[in-house]
Amino acid sequence: MDEFQIIKQYFSHGTDSSHIPVSVGDDCAVINVPAGSQLVFSLDTLVAGVHFLADADPAEIASRALRVNLSDLAAMGADPLCFTLGLTLPDFDADWLEGFSKGLRETAEEFECPLVGGDTTRGPLTISIQAQGTAPTGGALLRRGAQVGDLVCISGPLGDGAAALATLSGELPVDAEDLAYLNDRFYRPMPQLSLGKKLRGIAAAAIDVSDGLLADLGHICQSSGVGADIDIDRIPVSSAVLKNSPQEQWLPWVLGGGDDYQLCFTVPEEKTQALYGLMGADEFDISIIGTIVEGEGIRSRHDGALLAASGYQHFSTRKTSS
Ligand code: ADP
Ligand code: MG
């Protein structure tokens, strides 16, 4: 099968979106950007053996690749519009392509973000996805807006991504139920798109947690010229993590493990009522974990110690709960 047959058979998903007059098959896709909106886009590349195991289920690789890109759109408060795919394949493998394209199509349909073009080449297995979205002009959520006094919030549990990797490598044995939960969190991270949209006009700064809380909140702090004080006891951790690992093991996952794809965002005082409104809604699982302060770096509110992604020792014992 040549490149053109591969594209036709596996990646010409088609779309009936009114925003997309021209999709896969021409030299370029043509997209209508709604009036009053800005185009918001980002690209992520996943390399086999580096970002995922080469023998992982191709449908799950596809699902994860698209979801992590959608998570970047969520962090900007953007609505998904469409995406393109750069696919490098070592050889033609019909079963792999069937699984990959099915996982990709299902995820694209779930998030109403169709595939509109790409490039197909031969070489070491590599997947690049560029997701496009829109946000009202001037309304995208940026990293650089945090101000002293803002509350620091997180959209859900941290540490699951790193715990999932530990189960995959055999380092963390867990029961079938927790394995299913962690696998799901790793391969099907939920891009926080509806929260991202609701945070427009509420959050001062936002980022998705792909590299770990300290690294990603650190980006907000650096871009905004501020520091943060964090209550470690308030960071949400799933029961699948708390149940199966001691604190010395999970704390570095929570602070420094990536792959969680929660949103970390800051909310200024005048918007706290709106924040409480979101926190009261069943749809979301937001926790307030700290405040933005003057200075730089991220400190424990407990004792003022500067936090590092690994080896933070001064932590009060917490109860097991989710
Ligand atoms: P060109 O040589 O003009 O770049 P290509 O042969 O690379 O054209 O691509 C032909 C069409 O197929 C284009 O519309 C391109 O966007 C699309 N395409 C190529 N590879 C992929 C892919 N992996 N997924 C989706 N669309 C693809
Ligand atoms: Mg091309």
Side-chain angles (χ1 to χ4, degrees), residues 3-4 7 26-27 118-121:
E3 175 195 333
F4 302 106
I7 296 164
D26 213 313
D27 291 311
D119 198 27
T120 306
T121 53

Side-chain angles (χ1 to χ4, degrees), residues 238-252:
S238 70
S239 61
V241 170
L242 288 177
K243 229 167 72 188
N244 294 296
S245 61
Q247 188 190 97
E248 308 83 76
Q249 192 176 31
W250 61 249
L251 189 55

Side-chain angles (χ1 to χ4, degrees), residues 25 39 69-70 121 198 225 317:
L39 193 60
N69 272 273
L70 293 169
T121 53
K198 296 229 161 102
T317 312

